[in-house]
């Protein structure tokens, strides 16, 4: 009799568990299975919960900036569903930039840890979208950014042209330089021995050296067929450059004072050239009246960045900046015609061998190794 009473208690307890389990399914998930007593019956599965509804942030899409934002004026913005932000910008002279960063986008905020001069989004930025107008309230209390949704925004790949590496070789140079081509060799300074090296572009061997007393991190060969054509040399942080006769390495003249840190020199025709000052962020159009006088400054172009290597070809001035090369017309007004980039490199020098452009550059993965790189950019 006592054993039967025990079984009855177990049966009653199991039935109670079955009733409770059947009446209380988990919200949003399949219902829980009923408990099974020692001799009880397996409980039935509860009904499925409702599907979760996700809201897609309205900020996703392509936008045209319609408010003034900084000196590096942002033109177009991609806010992508993979939580990346791409900004296409262009300043008043036409210098283009394309920036990309990771962001977190919610239904009312855009969060990033990167700060870009072209748009100035940093930290937690609130936003709202109304009638295809996106207004971003920036965390730094600057004026809001206002953008209009657009389907005609240019693709980032069409904004700046990507260059392809055709050939490359290492050099023994110990720092960034601007380079020149003399018709046979690539020229650049190796400051370990204060020599300008003549490098064979086929095998990258040093074929000859030109002694110098200057820290000539920018060198240039005068565009001339004359036997006494010039070799121009900068001198580290100095405000001047020097002219030597290339064939004999004899001194010719010293320029007037320009801006300090002349990073690039580009010959146009005999006596006329461009020089770039990193300290003053300025390009100088220069005319030399050698050997009677050191010359005169014909004009200046002020930039919002430090220009590096220069080259002048076929009526256009090529200016390097970061990983970009800008092709510029210099008259009747100065403006950028086209921009190129060498991905994941820092470009400091540029020259042309008659077929292709060569760049002096370092990889972002190896800043200690100076390279000469031939790219698919031509005239």
């Amino acid at each position: 009799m006592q054993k039967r009473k025990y079984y009855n208690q177990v049966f009653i307890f199991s039935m109670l568990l079955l009733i409770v389990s059947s009446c209380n399914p988990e919200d949003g998930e399949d219902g829980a299975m009923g408990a099974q007593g020692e001799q009880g019956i397996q409980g039935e599965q509860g009904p499925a919960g409702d599907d979760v509804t996700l809201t897609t942030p309205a900020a996703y899409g392509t936008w045209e900036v319609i408010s003034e934002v900084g000196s590096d004026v942002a033109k177009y913005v991609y806010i992508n569903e993979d939580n990346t932000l791409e900004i296409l910008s262009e300043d008043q002279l036409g210098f283009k930039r394309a920036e990309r960063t990771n962001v977190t986008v919610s239904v009312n905020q855009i969060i990033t840890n990167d700060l870009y001069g072209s748009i100035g989004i940093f930290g937690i930025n609130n936003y709202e979208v109304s009638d295809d107008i996106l207004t971003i309230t920036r965390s730094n209390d600057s004026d809001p950014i206002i953008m209009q949704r657009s389907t005609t925004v240019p693709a980032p790949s069409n904004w700046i042209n990507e260059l392809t590496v055709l050939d490359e070789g290492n050099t023994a140079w110990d720092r960034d330089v601007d380079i020149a081509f003399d018709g046979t060799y690539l020229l650049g300074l190796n400051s370990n021995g204060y020599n300008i090296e003549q490098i064979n572009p086929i095998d990258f061997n040093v074929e000859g050296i030109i002694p110098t007393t200057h820290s000539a991190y920018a060198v240039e060969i005068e565009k001339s067929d004359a036997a006494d054509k010039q070799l121009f040399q900068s001198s580290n942080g100095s405000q001047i450059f020097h002219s030597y006769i290339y064939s004999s390495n004899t001194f010719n003249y010293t320029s007037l004072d320009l801006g300090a840190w002349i990073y690039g020199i580009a010959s146009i025709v005999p006596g006329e050239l461009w020089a770039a000052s990193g300290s003053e962020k300025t390009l100088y159009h220069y005319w030399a009246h050698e050997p009677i006088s050191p010359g005169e400054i014909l004009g200046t172009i002020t930039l919002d960045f430090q220009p590096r290597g220069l080259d002048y070809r076929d009526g256009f001035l090529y200016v390097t900046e970061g990983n970009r090369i800008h092709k510029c017309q210099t008259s009747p007004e100065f403006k950028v015609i086209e921009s190129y980039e060498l991905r994941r490199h820092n470009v400091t020098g540029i020259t042309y061998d008659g077929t292709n452009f060569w760049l002096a550059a370092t990889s972002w993965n190896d800043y200690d190794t100076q390279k000469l790189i031939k790219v698919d950019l031509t005239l």
Side-chain angles (χ1 to χ4, degrees):
M1 294 294 293
Q2 291 180 349
K3 182 181 292 187
R4 180 177 300 172
K5 183 177 180 180
Y6 172 76
Y7 285 151
N8 288 340
Q9 290 174 346
V10 171
F11 178 75
I12 293 170
F13 180 73
S14 299
M15 292 300 293
L16 286 173
L17 285 177
L18 186 150
I19 294 170
V20 171
S21 300
S22 300
C23 295
N24 293 280
E26 295 280 337
D27 291 339
E29 299 179 0
D30 291 339
M33 300 298 293
Q36 183 173 0
E38 186 173 335
Q39 293 184 350
I41 302 173
Q42 178 69 49
E44 295 181 358
Q45 185 173 352
D50 295 334
D51 292 336
V52 177
T53 300
L54 299 177
T55 301
T56 301
Y60 287 145
T62 54
W63 305 88
E64 181 175 359
V65 180
I66 58 177
S67 60
E68 292 290 333
V69 185
S71 58
D72 217 17
V73 181
K75 296 287 187 181
Y76 308 105
V77 175
Y78 282 73
I79 304 177
N80 303 312
E81 293 191 20
D82 64 355
N83 278 339
T84 57
L85 177 73
E86 295 178 274
I87 305 168
L88 309 182
S89 62
E90 182 178 8
D91 69 11
Q92 294 180 347
L93 293 175
F95 288 96
K96 291 182 177 179
R97 294 163 183 87
E99 302 161 308
R100 181 183 176 95
T101 186
N102 294 321
V103 293
T104 300
V105 182
S106 69
V107 295
N108 59 2
Q109 290 182 333
I110 299 174
I111 304 173
T112 177
N113 292 324
D114 294 325
L115 176 64
Y116 288 110
S118 60
I119 200 166
I121 293 180
F122 180 75
I124 301 174
N125 306 270
N126 295 323
Y127 78 85
E128 62 179 3
V129 177
S130 177
D131 295 329
D132 283 337
I133 299 297
L134 169 63
T135 302
I136 299 177
T137 303
R138 289 183 282 182
S139 60
N140 59 5
D141 294 328
S142 298
D143 292 336
I145 304 167
I146 303 174
M147 297 182 258
Q148 183 170 2
R149 194 183 298 276
S150 175
T151 59
T152 60
V153 173
S157 59
N158 295 331
W159 189 247
I160 297 181
N161 302 294
E162 183 177 355
L163 296 173
T164 299
V165 175
L166 302 180
D167 196 8
E168 65 178 272
N170 296 342
T171 73
W173 304 337
D174 64 339
R175 58 159 290 170
D176 48 296
V177 302
D178 192 15
I179 57 177
F181 183 69
D182 69 358
T184 303
Y185 302 119
L186 296 166
L187 274 64
L189 177 74
N190 186 339
S191 63
N192 289 324
Y194 271 83
N195 294 314
I196 297 170
E197 294 181 337
Q198 298 169 315
I199 295 181
N200 188 324
I202 303 300
D203 56 17
F204 302 99
N205 288 330
V206 177
E207 302 291 349
I209 59 172
I210 303 170
T212 180
T213 59
H214 310 295
S215 298
Y217 292 114
V219 294
E220 173 67 337
I221 297 291
E222 179 186 44
K223 289 183 176 63
S224 171
D225 293 328
D228 60 348
K229 64 183 177 183
Q230 301 172 72
L231 170 65
F232 302 105
Q233 306 178 25
S234 67
S235 187
N236 209 355
S238 175
Q239 296 174 296
I240 57 177
F241 65 84
H242 309 276
S243 166
Y244 286 77
I245 303 302
Y246 183 42
S247 59
S248 62
N249 198 29
T250 56
F251 173 76
N252 192 23
Y253 72 88
T254 296
S255 74
L256 298 174
D257 284 351
L258 307 175
W261 288 100
I262 297 175
Y263 286 138
I265 303 173
S267 171
I268 304 173
V269 294
E272 186 180 4
L273 52 82
W274 286 90
S277 166
S279 179
E280 297 299 320
K281 299 181 179 179
T282 298
L283 300 174
Y284 295 86
H285 187 193
Y286 196 89
W287 177 257
H289 302 297
E290 80 287 346
I292 301 172
S293 66
E296 61 181 308
I297 298 172
L298 300 178
T300 59
I301 303 295
T302 302
L303 309 175
D304 62 1
F305 63 89
Q306 286 189 332
R308 301 300 298 235
L310 301 180
D311 198 25
Y312 189 91
R313 301 287 170 175
D314 202 25
F316 296 97
L317 179 66
Y318 292 80
V319 182
T320 74
E321 173 219 0
N323 69 339
R324 293 173 290 275
I325 298 95
H326 305 284
K327 178 182 179 180
C328 310
Q329 73 170 38
T330 59
S331 65
E333 61 178 349
F334 189 99
K335 68 177 181 179
V336 179
I337 301 300
E338 204 153 15
S339 295
Y340 311 88
E341 68 176 350
L342 183 62
R343 291 282 182 89
R344 305 193 65 80
H345 284 79
N346 185 46
V347 181
T348 60
I350 183 169
T351 192
Y352 181 69
D353 68 1
T355 304
N356 292 90
F357 279 90
W358 285 81
L359 307 175
T362 54
S363 166
W364 290 357
N365 297 323
D366 184 8
Y367 277 105
D368 293 329
T369 302
Q370 303 294 324
K371 292 180 176 290
L372 284 169
I373 301 175
K374 182 167 72 170
V375 293
D376 61 343
L377 179 59
T378 61
L379 297 182

